[in-house]
Short mmCIF file of all heavy atoms in Angstrom, two decimals:
data_model
loop_
_atom_site.label_atom_id
_atom_site.label_comp_id
_atom_site.label_asym_id
_atom_site.label_seq_id
_atom_site.Cartn_x
_atom_site.Cartn_y
_atom_site.Cartn_z
N ASP X 1 2.74 -8.60 5.62
CA ASP X 1 2.33 -7.45 6.44
C ASP X 1 3.02 -6.19 5.87
O ASP X 1 2.38 -5.10 5.83
CB ASP X 1 2.65 -7.65 7.88
CG ASP X 1 1.70 -8.56 8.57
OD1 ASP X 1 0.46 -8.37 8.44
OD2 ASP X 1 2.12 -9.46 9.27
N ARG X 2 4.28 -6.31 5.54
CA ARG X 2 4.99 -5.07 5.04
C ARG X 2 4.37 -4.62 3.72
O ARG X 2 4.29 -3.43 3.53
CB ARG X 2 6.46 -5.36 4.91
CG ARG X 2 7.20 -5.39 6.21
CD ARG X 2 8.70 -5.21 6.10
NE ARG X 2 9.30 -6.10 5.06
CZ ARG X 2 9.78 -7.29 5.25
NH1 ARG X 2 9.67 -7.88 6.46
NH2 ARG X 2 10.27 -7.99 4.27
N GLU X 3 4.02 -5.52 2.85
CA GLU X 3 3.41 -5.08 1.59
C GLU X 3 2.10 -4.37 1.80
O GLU X 3 1.84 -3.31 1.26
CB GLU X 3 3.23 -6.27 0.61
CG GLU X 3 2.63 -5.89 -0.69
CD GLU X 3 2.50 -7.00 -1.74
OE1 GLU X 3 2.45 -8.18 -1.28
OE2 GLU X 3 2.41 -6.65 -2.91
N LEU X 4 1.24 -4.94 2.65
CA LEU X 4 -0.07 -4.31 2.97
C LEU X 4 0.17 -2.97 3.69
O LEU X 4 -0.49 -2.00 3.33
CB LEU X 4 -0.98 -5.26 3.75
CG LEU X 4 -1.86 -6.14 2.88
CD1 LEU X 4 -1.08 -7.10 2.06
CD2 LEU X 4 -2.92 -6.84 3.71
N ASP X 5 1.13 -2.98 4.60
CA ASP X 5 1.42 -1.67 5.28
C ASP X 5 1.85 -0.61 4.27
O ASP X 5 1.44 0.54 4.38
CB ASP X 5 2.56 -1.87 6.31
CG ASP X 5 2.17 -2.61 7.56
OD1 ASP X 5 0.92 -2.71 7.80
OD2 ASP X 5 3.05 -3.05 8.30
N PHE X 6 2.69 -0.97 3.31
CA PHE X 6 3.13 -0.02 2.30
C PHE X 6 1.97 0.58 1.56
O PHE X 6 1.82 1.78 1.47
CB PHE X 6 4.10 -0.66 1.28
CG PHE X 6 4.41 0.18 0.11
CD1 PHE X 6 5.32 1.24 0.25
CD2 PHE X 6 3.73 0.02 -1.07
CE1 PHE X 6 5.55 2.10 -0.81
CE2 PHE X 6 4.00 0.87 -2.15
CZ PHE X 6 4.89 1.89 -2.03
N TYR X 7 1.09 -0.30 1.04
CA TYR X 7 -0.09 0.21 0.31
C TYR X 7 -0.99 1.01 1.17
O TYR X 7 -1.52 2.06 0.78
CB TYR X 7 -0.83 -0.95 -0.32
CG TYR X 7 -0.22 -1.39 -1.65
CD1 TYR X 7 0.54 -2.55 -1.69
CD2 TYR X 7 -0.41 -0.65 -2.82
CE1 TYR X 7 1.16 -2.94 -2.96
CE2 TYR X 7 0.19 -0.97 -4.00
CZ TYR X 7 0.96 -2.13 -4.06
OH TYR X 7 1.55 -2.52 -5.26
N GLU X 8 -1.22 0.54 2.45
CA GLU X 8 -2.14 1.28 3.32
C GLU X 8 -1.59 2.64 3.82
O GLU X 8 -2.37 3.55 4.01
CB GLU X 8 -2.50 0.41 4.52
CG GLU X 8 -3.26 -0.81 4.19
CD GLU X 8 -3.31 -1.83 5.35
OE1 GLU X 8 -2.62 -1.66 6.34
OE2 GLU X 8 -3.98 -2.88 5.18
N ARG X 9 -0.29 2.71 4.06
CA ARG X 9 0.29 3.88 4.70
C ARG X 9 1.08 4.82 3.80
O ARG X 9 1.16 6.03 4.05
CB ARG X 9 1.13 3.44 5.85
CG ARG X 9 0.37 2.64 6.91
CD ARG X 9 1.27 2.01 7.90
NE ARG X 9 2.06 2.96 8.60
CZ ARG X 9 3.13 2.61 9.28
NH1 ARG X 9 3.60 1.38 9.32
NH2 ARG X 9 3.89 3.51 9.89
N PHE X 10 1.71 4.28 2.76
CA PHE X 10 2.72 5.09 2.02
C PHE X 10 2.41 5.24 0.50
O PHE X 10 2.88 6.19 -0.07
CB PHE X 10 4.12 4.54 2.20
CG PHE X 10 4.56 4.39 3.61
CD1 PHE X 10 4.75 3.18 4.15
CD2 PHE X 10 4.68 5.49 4.42
CE1 PHE X 10 5.16 3.04 5.48
CE2 PHE X 10 5.05 5.40 5.72
CZ PHE X 10 5.29 4.11 6.26
N ALA X 11 1.74 4.32 -0.10
CA ALA X 11 1.65 4.29 -1.56
C ALA X 11 1.09 5.58 -2.14
O ALA X 11 1.52 6.03 -3.17
CB ALA X 11 0.85 3.07 -2.03
N ALA X 12 0.04 6.09 -1.52
CA ALA X 12 -0.63 7.32 -2.05
C ALA X 12 0.34 8.50 -2.17
O ALA X 12 0.19 9.39 -3.03
CB ALA X 12 -1.80 7.69 -1.21
N ASP X 13 1.36 8.60 -1.28
CA ASP X 13 2.28 9.73 -1.26
C ASP X 13 3.67 9.33 -1.76
O ASP X 13 4.62 10.11 -1.61
CB ASP X 13 2.41 10.26 0.18
CG ASP X 13 1.06 10.77 0.69
OD1 ASP X 13 0.34 11.38 -0.08
OD2 ASP X 13 0.71 10.52 1.89
N PHE X 14 3.82 8.14 -2.29
CA PHE X 14 5.16 7.67 -2.75
C PHE X 14 5.62 8.52 -3.92
O PHE X 14 4.80 8.90 -4.78
CB PHE X 14 5.07 6.19 -3.08
CG PHE X 14 6.33 5.49 -2.94
CD1 PHE X 14 6.90 5.32 -1.70
CD2 PHE X 14 6.98 4.92 -4.03
CE1 PHE X 14 8.15 4.68 -1.53
CE2 PHE X 14 8.22 4.23 -3.87
CZ PHE X 14 8.76 4.10 -2.59
N PRO X 15 6.87 8.85 -4.01
CA PRO X 15 7.36 9.74 -5.06
C PRO X 15 7.38 9.14 -6.46
O PRO X 15 7.56 9.90 -7.41
CB PRO X 15 8.83 10.12 -4.65
CG PRO X 15 9.21 9.04 -3.70
CD PRO X 15 7.96 8.51 -3.04
N VAL X 16 7.19 7.86 -6.63
CA VAL X 16 7.01 7.30 -7.97
C VAL X 16 5.68 6.62 -8.07
O VAL X 16 5.00 6.31 -7.02
CB VAL X 16 8.09 6.21 -8.27
CG1 VAL X 16 9.50 6.89 -8.29
CG2 VAL X 16 8.07 5.09 -7.30
N ARG X 17 5.17 6.44 -9.29
CA ARG X 17 3.84 5.91 -9.47
C ARG X 17 3.76 4.41 -9.04
O ARG X 17 4.61 3.58 -9.41
CB ARG X 17 3.44 5.96 -10.95
CG ARG X 17 2.03 5.62 -11.20
CD ARG X 17 1.66 5.75 -12.66
NE ARG X 17 0.31 5.57 -13.05
CZ ARG X 17 -0.51 4.59 -12.77
NH1 ARG X 17 -0.17 3.64 -11.97
NH2 ARG X 17 -1.75 4.53 -13.25
N VAL X 18 2.85 4.11 -8.17
CA VAL X 18 2.58 2.69 -7.76
C VAL X 18 1.08 2.45 -7.95
O VAL X 18 0.33 3.39 -8.01
CB VAL X 18 3.02 2.46 -6.30
CG1 VAL X 18 4.48 2.61 -6.08
CG2 VAL X 18 2.25 3.33 -5.34
N PRO X 19 0.72 1.22 -8.12
CA PRO X 19 -0.71 0.91 -8.28
C PRO X 19 -1.52 1.45 -7.12
O PRO X 19 -1.14 1.36 -5.98
CB PRO X 19 -0.76 -0.62 -8.31
CG PRO X 19 0.61 -1.02 -8.75
CD PRO X 19 1.52 -0.01 -8.18
N LYS X 20 -2.71 2.00 -7.46
CA LYS X 20 -3.62 2.53 -6.48
C LYS X 20 -4.18 1.38 -5.64
O LYS X 20 -4.56 0.33 -6.17
CB LYS X 20 -4.74 3.25 -7.19
CG LYS X 20 -5.82 3.73 -6.29
CD LYS X 20 -6.92 4.40 -7.11
CE LYS X 20 -8.07 4.82 -6.26
NZ LYS X 20 -9.15 5.46 -7.00
N LEU X 21 -4.30 1.53 -4.34
CA LEU X 21 -4.86 0.56 -3.47
C LEU X 21 -6.40 0.67 -3.46
O LEU X 21 -6.94 1.74 -3.31
CB LEU X 21 -4.38 0.69 -2.05
CG LEU X 21 -5.05 -0.18 -0.98
CD1 LEU X 21 -4.73 -1.58 -1.21
CD2 LEU X 21 -4.62 0.25 0.42
N TYR X 22 -7.07 -0.46 -3.73
CA TYR X 22 -8.52 -0.49 -3.61
C TYR X 22 -8.91 -1.14 -2.31
O TYR X 22 -9.74 -0.57 -1.53
CB TYR X 22 -9.16 -1.25 -4.80
CG TYR X 22 -9.03 -0.53 -6.10
CD1 TYR X 22 -8.38 -1.10 -7.14
CD2 TYR X 22 -9.64 0.69 -6.31
CE1 TYR X 22 -8.25 -0.44 -8.36
CE2 TYR X 22 -9.52 1.39 -7.54
CZ TYR X 22 -8.81 0.80 -8.55
OH TYR X 22 -8.72 1.44 -9.73
N VAL X 23 -8.40 -2.30 -2.02
CA VAL X 23 -8.84 -3.02 -0.80
C VAL X 23 -7.61 -3.81 -0.29
O VAL X 23 -6.88 -4.44 -1.09
CB VAL X 23 -9.99 -4.02 -1.08
CG1 VAL X 23 -10.30 -4.85 0.12
CG2 VAL X 23 -11.24 -3.29 -1.63
N SER X 24 -7.38 -3.78 0.98
CA SER X 24 -6.41 -4.68 1.62
C SER X 24 -7.10 -5.22 2.93
O SER X 24 -7.74 -4.42 3.63
CB SER X 24 -5.10 -3.98 1.95
OG SER X 24 -5.31 -2.97 2.92
N VAL X 25 -7.00 -6.44 3.14
CA VAL X 25 -7.53 -7.07 4.33
C VAL X 25 -6.67 -8.24 4.80
O VAL X 25 -6.08 -8.93 3.99
CB VAL X 25 -9.02 -7.46 4.09
CG1 VAL X 25 -9.16 -8.50 3.03
CG2 VAL X 25 -9.72 -7.84 5.36
N ARG X 26 -6.55 -8.37 6.15
CA ARG X 26 -5.71 -9.41 6.67
C ARG X 26 -6.20 -9.72 8.10
O ARG X 26 -6.78 -8.92 8.79
CB ARG X 26 -4.28 -9.04 6.73
CG ARG X 26 -4.01 -7.79 7.56
CD ARG X 26 -2.59 -7.28 7.47
NE ARG X 26 -2.57 -5.82 7.47
CZ ARG X 26 -1.50 -5.13 7.46
NH1 ARG X 26 -0.34 -5.74 7.41
NH2 ARG X 26 -1.50 -3.77 7.49
N ASP X 27 -5.90 -10.98 8.46
CA ASP X 27 -6.17 -11.38 9.85
C ASP X 27 -5.29 -10.65 10.79
O ASP X 27 -4.18 -10.29 10.45
CB ASP X 27 -5.94 -12.87 10.04
CG ASP X 27 -7.00 -13.75 9.42
OD1 ASP X 27 -8.18 -13.31 9.38
OD2 ASP X 27 -6.69 -14.90 9.06
#
């Protein structure tokens, strides 16, 4: 959950380059 939360909520504005999120889905 924390990994998906990171990509969904923070990755786009993170101060270092991280892979772009395309799709995340979970129960």
Side-chain angles (χ1 to χ4, degrees):
D1 282 312
R2 285 198 313 270
E3 181 176 23
L4 271 66
D5 286 346
F6 170 78
Y7 277 102
E8 292 166 355
R9 298 170 59 199
F10 304 114
D13 298 320
F14 208 64
V16 296
R17 189 178 186 310
V18 296
K20 176 183 176 180
L21 172 65
Y22 291 117
V23 176
S24 66
V25 63
R26 58 185 145 179
D27 284 330

